[in-house]
Amino acid sequence: MSAKASLKAAKAAIDEHKYEDAIKEARKVLEKDTKSYYAYVFLGLALEKLQKDNESEKAYRSAIEVKLKEPSAWQGLISLYETLGGRKLDEYREAALHLAEIFMELDDRTRCQTVVDKYVGYAKEHGTRQQYQAALELMLPTCSLYDFLEGRIPNPAHTYIRIVEIVEALEKEKINKEIGERRTRLGARVGQVNTEVKREVYRASNLENLYGCIINWTSDDDVRRQYEERILQRAYDTLIVLPRQEKSEKRLRVQKHAEGLVILKHPFLLAWKIVLEWRDAESLGDWDVGLLREYIEFFPDDGLSKVLKAYLESEISPFPKLVVTDASKEGEEDSSQSMTIEDRLLSMTEGVEESSRSFLSQRIMAEYYLFLEELSSAVETSKKAREILSLETNLCGLKFQHNLDAINIILATSLVQYQTPRNHPEARLIFDGILSRKPNNTSALIGVGLILEEDEDYEGAIEFLDRATKRHPNAKIQSEKAWCKALNGDLDAGLHDLESCLSEIDASNAKAKDLKAETLYRIGMCLWNMDTSKTARKDRSGAYARFLASLQANLSYAPAYTSLGKFYADYAKDKKRARKCFQKAFELSGSEVEAAERLARSFADQREWDLVEVVAQRVVDSGKTKPPPGSRKKGVSWPYAALGVVQLNKQEYSKSIVSFQSALKMSPADIHSWIGLGESYHNSGRYIAATRALEQAQKLETNNSELNPTDIWFSKYMLSNVRRELGDFGEAIVGYTEVLALKPLEFGVSIALLQTHVESAWRSIELGFFGEAAGSAIKAIGIAKEIVQNRNKAVNLWKAVGDACSTFSWIQASVKDFPLRDICYILQHGEHSDYYNTLTNVDGIGEGALEALSSSGDPSSSIASCLHTAILAHKRAIHVCANDVHAQAVAWFNLGWTEYRSHSCLTGDALLPSPKTIPKHLKAAVRCFKRAIELEASNSEFWNALGIVTTQINPKVAQHAFIRSLYLNDKSARVWTNLGTLYLFENDYQLANDAFARAQSTDPDYSYAWVGQGILATLLGEANEAQGLFTHAFEIADSSSLTVKQQYATSTFDTLLSSPNSSKQLVDLLQPLFALHQMKSQTTSDVAYQHLYCLFAERAGDQTGAATLEAVCTSVEADYEVSESPTSLAQYAQAMADLARIQLAARDYSVAAGHAELALDVSADEESGNPNPTTRQKYRLSAHLTAGLAYHFLGENDQAISMFRTALEESDSNPDAVCILAQTLWAKGGPAERDAAQELLFDSVEAHPGHIGATALLGVIALLTDEQDAIVAVAADLHSMRIREDIDTTQQRRIGRIMEAIALTTLPDQGNQEETEAMAAIMLAPSQPHGWAQLADLQISENVHPAEMALLTALGSVPPKGTLDADDLARMHAGTGRPADAQRAVMLTPWLVEGWEMLVI
């Protein structure tokens, strides 16, 4: 079949919808002719019908390649694309454009338009907005089809508008999408993200060109104006986001568009704003007034319009007033011209608020504020204008240098006059910057001149003002220059120039009147200073007349009032008028410093501190007080000093410190400010800083020869107060004494001195200086005796007297020095009627007690007299402060503590026999504390005191009082400890422990909390823990704490008894011995602890305690004679036995024997009241041994042996007693006695096989009698004993010597036995020096190492590390053989020969 037939067959198959056959036929054709156009077309059509889209498109493309200008293939391709929806819409556009161009070439407009319209409609329905935009572009003049289809398709303006709508929507979506994505990135900032996204979109956008095309093609003026606005807005938005280096070109386009709209007088606000706001001009007069008026007309409700409208009608407008010809507008213009200054200001203010981003409105407003001399508003507005201008510069890229200079001139000019001279440095910096660019700028020259004038650099001010005058001569500048001449000392020239200026002033307007008033005042000041004589200044036709004329010109001119006030105050002697003038001057201007100072002084004289504060604070706020940095002008310090005084009176110490510091920065030599600063520091608790300040004040007073010595006492007084607070009582007392030498009748200083002596006494008690405490208390009483003669109704006086008397109850050893007669004189001085009869029916102390004390012929004092006088003093304090509730509550509180102290000292702290039997002083204390609580129930200390005194009387009340105290102040360790003590009394150990633990956590340095827990540990059987707690309490406690010392000493002694080894450590005895020694000074009635002191002293090797123990015996004996108590008898026997032992150690043998036998006689009866039989057995054994040893040393061995035998009988053959008896028998020397001694030792060793003393004595006897069997047996026992852990170094040394002797005796031919024993001693105790010393003695000529080790270990064994004494240490030094060590041995123990011998060698 031919190709033609196949094509026909394919066509027929297609018509019959036999698409497979059509495909076959078409391919047959193509096999024969690959360039067959219709074969490709039929193939594409058939494939399209079979929905083989890709193959169909390929077939059509092949046909197009064969014949590009044939429409069939393009039509088939378009038909195929229409079946695909939007998937091939871009290819569809290409095909439609080619097909339309083919029809255009065929001049077939209808078919060409049909293709275009069909494609545009299809793209709108199935395509995206971008594809629809591309379709619309086929109808634009930029398309090749436009000329052919013109008239058949819509106007290009319409098409462009549709495209613009699409582009705007797409850009908006893209901007929102990008911002949403980027703002979530780490570190992204919203503003920066917005700018970056818009910059990217606007750079790639063609929207401005589309707007331009609409403007060019539209025939509708409204549409054209609309898109002219939009193109300007778009260009402006793009300009804002562009970087600075790219803004120039875009800004020119923006300005061009804006100016075009303004020329056309189109009311588009942005265009007018750009034209007006972007103008860079030095003066507001450089703007086109016609343009300003048109702006007002087009935008009457805009904020800038309101500002411009008011400005054009104001006094400062450089433009002529508008002449109205239209009768319809005349009324409106007349209304505008009738606006007052207030109306214009209101209109401007409202406009500025509405146009807060307008630089022009801010500039106009600032200039108008400056004209009205509203300086603070001018400064604020100028600064805001600068901010707006800076922002506008960043947005558009213009520098606006003229605008910036103009607003800076307004700002600097305002700063010159606003809070002068605080802002002068800033103003000078601005003026200098302007003058560097514009050297002849008049405003800057004037501003610098005024700054230099205020800075008192008059020559420089004259220079700048002269330059300004040459450029713009006017009366104001000439007046300032003339005034500078006068201030510079040239009064004549200044007066002449001022009078010349006065003649040139036209007083027709308000500003000229102000200048006239100022000039007249300055003329008056020139006359005032030219002749300073009293006659000239009192002349009312001179300066006085000029001041009045100045006020006549301007009644609000403040400096003239100040000068008139000085005239009336200093010359006319009219204080009333002077004060009125000063008040008026200060009301008008806070910068009138001199008027303010005079007012402040007058208010201070009248003690009107609130008014002083108002005046001083206003002066400070005016800015006139502090000169700018680098200024020649001195600051004004008195306002700060005045504020400091007021704040000091108001107890606002932190503020007063700042005020006085500010005053001293300007006046470092102001003595009063230094004193005020010191007082402020003192009252705020900053004592070191107060000391420095007051010392500086004293230094200035010393260097000031003009001061009267009697006028410098206050700084000494304040410094003494500070030193008193710091605890430096000695320096404080010296200071008070010096002040009293200057001011002997100053009551406050006398009271301070009295209180300082009392506080010094209490501090001395806390530190353990009891003699010094007594001396301070006696001095305090002497001072009180002097004070009471002049004034006896001060509560602090009687409190100090009571405290001074109470001091002696804490140092009872000094009671004999108590000045009872002086105290009685003090108490009887003045009218005291019933003062002392308060609670007399309870405590029995009143007027009668005072009379009894006074009439007593015995000058000696007792604890009772000290406490009774203290109670009387506190009772008088209650009556003295009867009108002060708080003081009276404190006075009752003080009396209560004194009553309780009396109960503790006079009655004792023993438990009450019955709650109903309450001692009188305790009952009085309860009433006192209850009364204090009634007066002031919110004081936690009062409740705590009530809890203490009711602990034994009523535990429930005590618990309630403690809990109430803790409710008011739960941070008090003292109250928690007291509550724990109450629980301890009630045997509630868990609650007690919790309370003590809370007290320790609240204040770890409160010793009684640790004591309480120690007592609790003792009750629970934890002796070691208790000892640690008592030791810690003693270490942190002060010396006034009796309970701490008692518990510490008792527990330490118990520990020493339970640990025999530690009892021999001297270091363990020092602290308790020191504590008990202090207790002897604090209390003289506690014989138990005095006895304990003697026992500690005996163990420490101090035999001087015999006197104390004799006093104990005497006291116990006296008590027994009164009470005949068996317990007292037992105490007496025990004390006597201990006394005998101490006397034995002191080698007073006969007395020791007598006292020991007395102790034995007193305790002979087993029913003599001894509470513990073991205790009786121990002290009787001690008495027997003491008597035996005393008789032995007296040579009466028979009596000694008798005593020892009795001791053995009573002590069940105590091995120590056996040893002493054996030694005594052996010393007697008879064979029978020696045999008896040996027999006793054998029995003792059999009964006590581990006793070292008995075994050692047997060894010595065996060596002396040469009994080899006994020697071997003893050697074996000693060898087993020396390795025991419970023996100390002394026993080790004793065993070692015996073993060495045994070795020499049993093996005399083996010379190394001594060395072997020495090495054995070293192996057993390598840290002890005796083994090394023994080895050194054997090898001194051969090896020095043992001697050096002996010395080294000896240095580590001396107290407090060990018990090695000075003799042994000296022997170790001498053993080294070195001269230096021999010298040390001699220095340590010059009584030993070993050191001297080594020096000789």
Side-chain angles (χ1 to χ4, degrees):
M1 185 179 293
S2 63
K4 188 174 181 180
S6 296
L7 286 174
K8 289 182 178 180
K11 178 68 171 61
I14 290 171
D15 292 339
E16 295 175 0
H17 304 292
K18 298 178 179 179
Y19 303 117
E20 294 289 345
D21 296 340
I23 291 172
K24 292 178 181 178
E25 295 298 332
R27 285 179 174 168
K28 289 180 181 179
V29 175
L30 292 175
E31 289 176 358
K32 298 176 181 179
D33 184 7
T34 58
K35 298 295 184 179
S36 176
Y37 177 80
Y38 287 105
Y40 281 118
V41 172
F42 292 152
L43 178 60
L45 181 59
L47 291 171
E48 176 188 349
K49 298 299 183 181
L50 293 176
Q51 297 183 353
K52 297 181 179 181
D53 302 330
N54 293 334
E55 295 179 12
S56 175
E57 181 181 9
K58 187 176 179 181
Y60 285 135
R61 291 291 181 185
S62 300
I64 291 171
E65 290 177 1
V66 174
K67 292 184 180 180
L68 183 62
K69 299 299 183 180
E70 283 292 329
S72 300
W74 290 106
Q75 289 174 331
L77 191 60
I78 288 174
S79 175
L80 172 64
Y81 288 152
E82 288 178 349
T83 63
L84 298 178
R87 285 184 293 166
K88 294 286 186 175
L89 198 57
D90 294 335
E91 290 82 356
Y92 187 0
R93 182 184 186 283
E94 178 189 2
L97 178 59
H98 280 286
L99 182 59
E101 288 177 345
I102 291 172
F103 289 141
M104 181 180 66
E105 292 177 0
L106 297 176
D107 198 23
D108 190 344
R109 287 184 171 81
T110 301
R111 296 177 68 185
C112 177
Q113 180 184 357
T114 301
V115 171
V116 172
D117 291 343
K118 187 177 180 181
Y119 165 66
V120 171
Y122 189 83
K124 181 178 181 181
E125 181 178 356
H126 297 284
T128 63
R129 282 179 290 191
Q130 291 92 334
Q131 291 171 335
Y132 182 50
Q133 175 186 347
L136 290 174
E137 288 174 353
L138 295 180
M139 295 188 290
L140 294 177
T142 55
C143 182
S144 57
L145 302 175
Y146 178 77
D147 294 335
F148 182 69
L149 295 177
E150 187 176 8
R152 288 178 171 265
I153 57 177
N155 185 284
H158 176 71
T159 305
Y160 276 120
I161 290 173
R162 293 165 67 185
I163 292 174
V164 163
E165 292 173 353
I166 294 172
V167 172
E168 288 177 342
L170 290 173
E171 288 185 359
K172 184 176 180 180
E173 287 182 3
K174 184 176 182 180
I175 289 172
N176 293 336
K177 179 181 178 182
E178 289 295 324
I179 290 175
E181 291 178 356
R182 297 187 189 183
R183 69 187 301 175
T184 59
R185 294 176 183 173
L186 190 64
R189 291 180 295 180
V190 177
Q192 183 179 358
V193 168
N194 291 347
T195 301
E196 290 176 354
V197 171
K198 290 181 179 179
R199 183 188 301 142
E200 293 173 5
V201 173
Y202 291 168
R203 277 177 174 172
S205 174
N206 193 37
L207 200 55
E208 288 186 44
N209 293 331
L210 294 176
Y211 289 151
C213 292
I214 295 174
I215 293 169
N216 294 334
W217 285 99
T218 186
S219 58
D220 188 339
D221 289 341
D222 293 338
V223 175
R224 183 177 292 108
R225 298 295 173 264
Q226 176 187 353
Y227 282 93
E228 284 176 349
E229 293 177 4
R230 296 175 74 173
I231 193 173
L232 173 60
Q233 186 67 55
R234 181 52 179 257
Y236 181 75
D237 293 342
T238 306
L239 175 65
I240 289 174
V241 299
L242 286 176
R244 192 177 187 87
Q245 61 272 17
E246 300 178 16
K247 288 182 182 290
S248 179
E249 181 180 355
K250 180 62 69 175
R251 183 178 62 251
L252 294 176
R253 294 183 61 184
V254 170
Q255 288 178 309
K256 181 180 178 182
H257 290 312
E259 290 171 356
L261 288 173
V262 171
I263 291 172
L264 294 173
K265 302 189 184 308
H266 178 64
F268 181 50
L269 184 61
L270 178 60
W272 289 84
K273 288 272 190 182
I274 290 172
V275 171
L276 293 180
E277 299 283 354
W278 285 12
R279 181 171 178 79
D280 188 20
E282 292 185 5
S283 170
L284 289 173
D286 296 336
W287 265 264
D288 184 355
V289 65
L291 201 63
L292 299 178
R293 296 189 188 280
E294 288 173 354
Y295 183 88
I296 296 170
E297 182 180 353
F298 286 137
F299 312 103
D301 296 328
D302 184 66
L304 179 57
S305 295
K306 296 178 181 179
V307 175
L308 289 172
K309 183 177 181 181
Y311 170 71
L312 292 176
E313 301 302 325
S314 68
E315 306 89 328
I316 63 172
S317 172
F319 306 112
K321 300 296 185 291
L322 182 64
V323 178
V324 182
T325 57
D326 191 350
S328 62
K329 296 182 180 180
E330 185 173 357
E332 180 182 351
E333 188 64 27
D334 291 342
S335 175
S336 298
Q337 291 179 355
S338 64
M339 291 176 64
T340 62
I341 293 179
E342 291 77 9
D343 294 335
R344 282 194 292 270
L345 183 61
L346 181 61
S347 177
M348 285 186 176
T349 304
E350 183 180 347
V352 167
E353 291 177 356
E354 294 176 2
S355 58
S356 58
R357 294 289 303 276
S358 170
F359 167 76
L360 182 58
S361 64
Q362 298 289 343
R363 176 176 174 178
I364 293 172
M365 191 76 253
E367 190 168 327
Y368 197 62
Y369 276 138
L370 180 60
F371 168 75
L372 297 177
E373 296 183 356
E374 295 288 339
L375 301 177
S376 61
S377 299
V379 170
E380 181 182 355
T381 307
S382 300
K383 289 182 177 180
K384 188 174 182 180
R386 289 204 307 181
E387 294 175 1
I388 295 172
L389 192 63
S390 175
L391 179 62
E392 198 66 32
T393 299
N394 293 332
L395 292 179
C396 70
L398 287 172
K399 292 184 178 180
F400 298 113
Q401 189 61 57
H402 293 312
N403 284 343
L404 181 60
D405 288 345
I407 198 64
N408 276 336
I409 287 174
I410 296 173
L411 174 60
T413 304
S414 303
L415 289 174
V416 169
Q417 304 173 53
Y418 178 58
Q419 292 186 344
T420 303
R422 177 185 299 175
N423 300 308
H424 281 185
E426 183 181 355
R428 180 64 185 271
L429 188 63
I430 295 172
F431 283 137
D432 288 344
I434 295 172
L435 290 174
S436 65
R437 294 185 298 274
K438 303 172 183 178
N440 296 320
N441 186 285
T442 305
S443 298
L445 290 171
I446 295 173
V448 174
L450 294 175
I451 291 173
L452 293 175
E453 176 187 341
E454 182 65 30
D455 198 26
E456 298 182 359
D457 184 2
Y458 302 120
E459 294 181 357
I462 292 170
E463 178 186 352
F464 277 91
L465 292 173
D466 187 58
R467 288 169 58 187
T469 304
K470 291 177 180 178
R471 290 188 55 81
H472 292 86
N474 61 57
K476 174 64 177 175
I477 303 175
Q478 291 174 354
S479 173
E480 289 294 340
K481 185 175 73 171
W483 181 235
C484 287
K485 289 180 180 180
L487 294 174
N488 199 33
D490 192 356
L491 294 173
D492 293 331
L495 178 60
H496 178 269
D497 292 347
L498 285 169
E499 290 177 343
S500 299
C501 293
L502 183 62
S503 61
E504 297 176 5
I505 296 174
D506 181 13
S508 59
N509 57 64
K511 286 291 181 181
K513 289 181 180 179
D514 295 343
L515 179 59
K516 182 178 180 181
E518 183 181 58
T519 305
L520 285 168
Y521 162 75
R522 290 175 173 178
I523 291 173
M525 289 304 299
C526 289
L527 295 173
W528 183 269
N529 294 323
M530 286 175 68
D531 188 354
T532 59
S533 64
K534 188 173 183 180
T535 303
R537 289 191 170 181
K538 290 179 69 175
D539 185 6
R540 293 182 179 263
S541 62
Y544 173 79
R546 302 304 190 279
F547 297 146
L548 286 179
S550 174
L551 292 177
Q552 289 174 357
N554 183 5
L555 284 173
S556 299
Y557 189 65
Y561 284 107
T562 301
S563 298
L564 281 176
K566 290 166 60 178
F567 173 83
Y568 287 126
D570 299 340
Y571 299 99
K573 304 301 180 183
D574 190 342
K575 292 185 178 181
K576 186 176 181 181
R577 284 189 177 182
R579 182 164 180 173
K580 288 182 177 180
C581 289
F582 290 138
Q583 286 179 337
K584 184 64 176 179
F586 191 63
E587 288 174 5
L588 292 171
S589 174
S591 299
E592 290 301 306
V593 179
E594 187 173 0
E597 182 177 7
R598 298 213 180 199
L599 277 178
R601 290 186 183 279
S602 65
F603 291 144
D605 292 339
Q606 299 173 7
R607 310 193 71 80
E608 297 178 358
W609 299 112
D610 292 338
L611 295 177
V612 173
E613 182 181 18
V614 170
V615 172
Q617 189 62 54
R618 188 179 178 196
V619 174
V620 170
D621 294 340
S622 70
K624 297 285 286 186
T625 55
K626 291 184 178 180
S631 174
R632 299 180 182 179
K633 191 174 182 180
K634 294 182 179 180
V636 182
S637 63
W638 71 261
Y640 296 99
L643 281 175
V645 172
V646 174
Q647 291 157 353
L648 196 59
N649 289 333
K650 290 183 175 182
Q651 298 182 358
E652 297 174 349
Y653 303 123
S654 59
K655 292 182 179 180
S656 66
I657 289 171
V658 174
S659 297
F660 284 124
Q661 286 176 339
S662 300
L664 289 170
K665 286 179 182 178
M666 287 172 280
S667 298
D670 186 0
I671 297 174
H672 298 292
S673 293
W674 281 111
I675 295 175
L677 180 62
E679 188 174 357
S680 300
Y681 278 135
H682 168 262
N683 292 335
S684 60
R686 299 168 62 180
Y687 300 121
I688 301 300
T691 301
R692 293 175 180 173
L694 292 169
E695 286 177 347
Q696 179 64 23
Q698 284 194 337
K699 182 179 178 181
L700 293 172
E701 290 174 342
T702 304
N703 296 333
N704 191 341
S705 58
E706 297 179 0
L707 288 176
N708 191 324
T710 59
D711 295 334
I712 62 175
W713 67 274
F714 190 72
S715 60
K716 291 180 180 292
Y717 169 68
M718 285 305 305
L719 184 57
S720 299
N721 287 342
V722 174
R723 286 172 173 163
R724 171 185 166 191
E725 294 291 346
L726 289 172
D728 190 358
F729 298 114
E731 291 292 333
I733 289 170
V734 171
Y736 289 134
T737 305
E738 292 177 355
V739 173
L740 287 175
L742 299 173
K743 292 279 188 178
L745 299 179
E746 194 67 38
F747 176 74
V749 181
S750 299
I751 287 293
L753 179 60
L754 170 61
Q755 292 174 326
T756 305
H757 275 295
V758 174
E759 292 172 7
S760 178
W762 285 110
R763 176 61 62 84
S764 298
I765 291 175
E766 292 174 356
L767 297 177
F769 304 140
F770 302 126
E772 185 177 338
S776 296
I778 292 171
K779 290 178 181 178
I781 293 172
I783 295 170
K785 184 178 179 182
E786 296 177 2
I787 296 175
V788 78
Q789 296 175 7
N790 299 318
R791 185 171 175 180
N792 57 17
K793 292 187 178 181
V795 63
N796 289 338
L797 167 64
W798 296 108
K799 179 185 181 301
V801 170
D803 291 343
C805 296
S806 298
T807 302
F808 287 90
S809 68
W810 294 91
I811 44 175
Q812 297 179 11
S814 301
V815 169
K816 61 182 182 299
D817 300 323
F818 181 66
L820 180 59
R821 293 180 179 176
D822 291 342
I823 286 294
C824 291
Y825 173 82
I826 294 171
L827 294 173
Q828 290 177 332
H829 193 278
E831 298 179 0
H832 46 81
S833 61
D834 294 332
Y835 288 175
Y836 301 129
N837 291 329
T838 303
L839 297 179
T840 304
N841 59 335
V842 179
D843 60 9
I845 301 173
E847 191 74 27
L850 178 59
E851 293 178 358
L853 289 172
S854 303
S855 60
S856 175
D858 186 7
S860 62
S861 303
S862 63
I863 296 297
S865 60
C866 297
L867 291 170
H868 290 172
T869 52
I871 291 173
L872 292 172
H874 285 301
K875 286 183 177 181
R876 187 156 182 178
I878 292 174
H879 289 275
V880 167
C881 61
N883 297 325
D884 187 340
V885 175
H886 174 71
Q888 197 171 32
V890 174
W892 280 104
F893 175 74
N894 294 333
L895 176 60
W897 273 126
T898 308
E899 294 279 6
Y900 185 70
R901 181 63 182 167
S902 300
H903 163 72
S904 301
C905 295
L906 303 180
T907 307
D909 291 328
L911 295 176
L912 300 181
S914 171
K916 296 181 180 180
T917 307
I918 304 175
K920 59 180 182 179
H921 289 295
L922 186 60
K923 185 184 294 185
V926 172
R927 292 199 179 182
C928 289
F929 292 137
K930 285 184 176 180
R931 179 57 179 159
I933 291 172
E934 290 175 1
L935 295 172
E936 188 177 343
S938 61
N939 193 312
S940 63
E941 294 296 329
F942 296 175
W943 286 100
N944 174 52
L946 180 62
I948 292 172
V949 298
T950 57
T951 295
Q952 296 185 41
I953 301 173
N954 191 332
K956 292 183 178 180
V957 173
Q959 183 185 29
H960 169 75
F962 288 139
I963 292 175
R964 181 64 181 175
S965 178
L966 290 172
Y967 173 77
L968 296 171
N969 178 19
D970 63 347
K971 302 298 183 182
S972 175
R974 181 185 297 107
V975 183
W976 281 110
T977 303
N978 294 336
L979 181 61
T981 305
L982 174 64
Y983 291 142
L984 204 58
F985 276 123
E986 298 302 314
N987 299 320
D988 194 335
Y989 297 156
Q990 182 60 47
L991 287 179
N993 183 66
D994 294 343
F996 290 138
R998 181 64 181 272
Q1000 292 166 8
S1001 63
T1002 302
D1003 184 4
D1005 293 331
Y1006 187 62
S1007 60
Y1008 286 101
W1010 299 95
V1011 170
Q1013 202 162 35
I1015 295 173
L1016 182 60
T1018 302
L1019 294 174
L1020 295 176
E1022 301 289 342
N1024 292 332
E1025 182 181 355
Q1027 171 63 14
L1029 291 168
F1030 291 138
T1031 303
H1032 178 68
F1034 178 73
E1035 290 172 350
I1036 64 175
D1038 56 53
S1039 296
S1040 64
S1041 306
L1042 280 174
T1043 304
V1044 177
K1045 295 174 186 175
Q1046 291 169 350
Q1047 295 299 326
Y1048 171 65
T1050 304
S1051 66
T1052 303
F1053 193 77
D1054 292 341
T1055 303
L1056 294 176
L1057 291 179
S1058 62
S1059 303
N1061 291 337
S1062 63
S1063 66
K1064 299 178 182 178
Q1065 300 286 339
L1066 180 61
V1067 67
D1068 294 334
L1069 307 176
L1070 295 179
Q1071 283 190 330
L1073 187 61
F1074 176 72
L1076 291 168
H1077 180 73
Q1078 284 190 331
M1079 285 183 61
K1080 286 177 60 182
S1081 300
Q1082 291 182 268
T1083 175
T1084 58
S1085 59
D1086 200 336
V1087 295
Y1089 288 99
Q1090 292 182 15
H1091 191 174
L1092 184 61
Y1093 165 75
C1094 296
L1095 295 178
F1096 271 106
E1098 179 189 7
R1099 286 175 175 267
D1102 181 10
Q1103 287 83 36
T1104 59
T1108 302
L1109 205 50
E1110 287 178 353
V1112 170
C1113 293
T1114 303
S1115 178
V1116 174
E1117 183 180 8
D1119 181 68
Y1120 177 74
E1121 290 176 355
V1122 174
S1123 62
E1124 295 186 356
S1125 168
T1127 303
S1128 298
L1129 184 61
Q1131 290 176 352
Y1132 177 77
Q1134 186 174 359
M1136 192 60 69
D1138 293 337
L1139 175 61
R1141 190 173 60 251
I1142 293 174
Q1143 290 168 337
L1144 175 65
R1147 300 183 181 183
D1148 192 355
Y1149 303 126
S1150 59
V1151 177
H1155 284 161
E1157 289 193 355
L1158 178 59
L1160 291 172
D1161 293 340
V1162 171
S1163 60
D1165 186 5
E1166 293 185 2
E1167 304 298 329
S1168 58
N1170 291 282
N1172 190 345
T1174 305
T1175 303
R1176 175 180 176 275
Q1177 181 183 359
K1178 287 183 178 181
Y1179 69 70
R1180 282 186 61 81
L1181 174 61
S1182 173
H1184 278 111
L1185 295 177
T1186 301
L1189 289 172
Y1191 285 131
H1192 170 70
F1193 287 117
L1194 290 172
E1196 300 176 6
N1197 288 327
D1198 293 336
Q1199 291 185 2
I1201 293 171
S1202 174
M1203 284 291 177
F1204 292 142
R1205 290 188 182 280
T1206 307
L1208 288 179
E1209 293 173 0
E1210 292 192 8
S1211 63
D1212 296 330
S1213 298
N1214 184 284
D1216 293 325
V1218 170
C1219 291
I1220 295 175
L1221 178 57
Q1223 288 174 305
T1224 306
L1225 290 171
W1226 188 270
K1228 190 174 181 182
E1233 286 82 359
R1234 292 185 176 184
D1235 291 340
Q1238 195 169 10
E1239 185 67 28
L1240 286 172
L1241 290 173
F1242 276 122
D1243 293 340
S1244 179
V1245 168
E1246 185 178 355
H1248 306 281
H1251 194 268
I1252 296 174
T1255 306
L1257 284 175
L1258 279 175
V1260 172
I1261 292 173
L1263 288 171
L1264 293 174
T1265 59
D1266 195 20
E1267 296 180 10
Q1268 294 298 322
D1269 295 337
I1271 290 174
V1272 173
V1274 169
D1277 290 341
L1278 291 177
H1279 182 72
S1280 62
M1281 289 179 184
R1282 72 188 307 183
I1283 62 176
R1284 281 165 41 185
E1285 296 181 356
D1286 60 338
I1287 63 174
D1288 57 17
T1289 57
T1290 303
Q1291 293 171 331
Q1292 280 280 8
R1293 186 179 181 186
R1294 183 178 183 185
I1295 294 173
R1297 288 178 177 178
I1298 296 174
M1299 293 296 291
E1300 180 183 352
I1302 291 173
L1304 289 173
T1305 303
T1306 57
L1307 299 170
D1309 296 333
Q1310 299 182 10
N1312 60 350
Q1313 285 300 312
E1314 293 180 83
E1315 185 175 346
T1316 302
E1317 290 298 331
M1319 289 184 177
I1322 292 173
M1323 291 297 295
L1324 291 171
S1327 62
Q1328 298 300 320
H1330 303 292
W1332 293 103
Q1334 183 180 350
L1335 184 61
D1337 291 339
L1338 298 173
Q1339 299 181 354
I1340 188 168
S1341 62
E1342 301 175 7
N1343 190 357
V1344 297
H1345 176 68
E1348 292 178 350
M1349 285 302 299
L1351 177 60
L1352 183 63
T1353 54
L1355 291 173
S1357 300
V1358 295
K1361 299 179 182 178
T1363 59
L1364 192 71
D1365 58 17
D1367 291 355
D1368 288 335
L1369 180 61
R1371 291 188 182 96
M1372 303 306 166
H1373 274 291
T1376 63
R1378 291 192 291 261
D1381 289 331
Q1383 290 175 347
R1384 293 187 180 93
V1386 172
M1387 182 194 69
L1388 285 170
T1389 56
W1391 56 84
L1392 290 182
V1393 298
E1394 285 87 345
W1396 296 104
E1397 289 176 349
M1398 292 305 300
L1399 280 178
V1400 173
I1401 295 174

